Amino acid sequence: YNLVDSVGGGLHHAGPDYGGGFCVFNDVAVCAEAFLRTLGNERVLILDTDVHAGNGTMDIFYKDPRVLFIDIHQDPLSIYPGRGFIEEIGEGEGKGYTVNIPLPPYTGNEGMEMVLEKVFMPLVLQFEPQIIIRNGGSDPHFSDSLGSLRLTYDGFHKIGKIVREAAGVRNIPVVNMSCSGYNPDTVAEGMYSILSGLIDKELDIHEDEMPESYDPQVESIEEIISELGEKLSDHWNI
């Protein structure tokens, strides 16, 4: 499949008429609009794996059924921007095309992998996008000061791998936008880990052991997926 990587892209907090969270212009939305307007695509899927919910991207496409926005992030009750709840599923013609998956703090790699396989993968098959845009940087890492999802580099690698597998089923082009991260010691490695998964490259970087424990919270995440399936039952089979 075809892959383009944009280092420093993914300014997902900027909305249609506002900025926020260090984001002035939403290049994720600009990219999606370019595919819709210039290239004549009809179905664009955006996967946001940043620790913070992409509230700007959500607001821009909240009523647009041409864009399926899947956002996996830390529970908005515990982190900026306080948006991205399961109940936020879109409006009007776009109802059902916003999919928020808030994960509990300390989820770790297992929780991220679970929702990618049980939510993202099925939605790719059902929506049949003509392009996938993935954005999000290293801030889900366990050493990041602004997030608490506790992923490791292996977890980032798995994100890239699952996106590659999903895109490969129908040879869907992928745009990868890597931005954010508040520990300068892990920003490059986090981006590299995701990209390695996207290009089917074995992860070859060393990582120190996680200094604190985490809780996969499998039962809680299964409940989240079940609730999400009920909320979206009129639109998707999850």
Side-chain angles (χ1 to χ4, degrees):
Y1 72 104
N2 296 317
L3 170 68
V4 173
D5 186 56
S6 173
V7 178
L11 305 176
H12 62 166
H13 293 307
D17 55 1
Y18 64 85
F22 312 117
C23 305
V24 178
F25 301 108
N26 192 318
D27 56 339
V28 181
V30 171
C31 180
E33 283 287 354
F35 282 110
L36 292 169
R37 296 185 186 185
T38 307
L39 299 180
N41 293 111
E42 298 176 348
R43 297 180 307 281
V44 175
L45 187 150
I46 300 174
L47 172 66
D48 191 325
T49 62
D50 196 86
V51 75
H52 306 95
N55 56 306
T57 308
M58 177 173 66
D59 285 345
I60 290 170
F61 296 114
Y62 207 59
K63 299 180 180 180
D64 194 337
R66 301 172 302 168
V67 177
L68 177 58
F69 178 53
I70 304 173
D71 195 343
I72 308 170
H73 49 268
Q74 186 174 316
D75 186 343
L77 290 176
S78 64
I79 198 170
Y80 177 88
R83 299 281 307 283
F85 294 97
I86 287 180
E87 293 78 12
E88 296 176 281
I89 63 171
E91 292 180 352
E93 293 184 354
K95 189 174 183 179
Y97 289 85
T98 293
V99 180
N100 281 296
I101 312 168
L103 298 178
Y106 305 99
T107 290
N109 297 344
E110 290 90 340
M112 177 65 74
E113 182 176 353
M114 185 184 300
V115 296
L116 285 169
E117 292 184 343
K118 293 189 175 183
V119 180
F120 168 69
M121 288 285 280
L123 289 180
V124 171
L125 295 175
Q126 294 171 58
F127 183 59
E128 297 184 338
Q130 295 161 292
I131 187 80
I132 294 175
I133 303 171
R134 190 221 64 92
N135 80 273
S138 64
D139 53 10
H141 192 264
F142 67 79
S143 69
D144 195 274
S145 60
L146 295 188
S148 303
L149 282 185
R150 298 298 187 263
L151 266 64
T152 67
Y153 296 145
D154 283 336
F156 290 119
H157 188 262
K158 179 66 73 171
I159 292 173
K161 180 180 179 181
I162 292 176
V163 171
R164 173 178 54 80
E165 291 173 351
V169 172
R170 291 192 170 93
N171 199 30
I172 305 167
V174 173
V175 175
N176 184 55
M177 309 184 83
S178 299
C179 188
S180 77
Y182 305 94
N183 180 350
D185 295 329
T186 61
V187 170
E189 288 83 353
M191 294 180 181
Y192 174 80
S193 299
I194 293 175
L195 186 58
S196 294
L198 284 167
I199 64 174
D200 198 20
K201 181 181 185 296
E202 184 177 348
L203 191 60
D204 56 359
I205 56 177
H206 171 75
E207 180 169 40
D208 295 332
E209 290 187 9
M210 192 182 304
E212 53 188 284
S213 62
Y214 67 95
D215 181 1
Q217 303 191 60
V218 173
E219 291 185 2
S220 296
I221 295 172
E222 287 179 343
E223 291 176 0
I224 291 170
I225 294 173
S226 177
E227 181 180 353
L228 186 66
E230 293 178 4
K231 295 286 185 185
L232 298 171
S233 60
D234 291 338
H235 310 278
W236 311 106
N237 182 21
I238 297 175

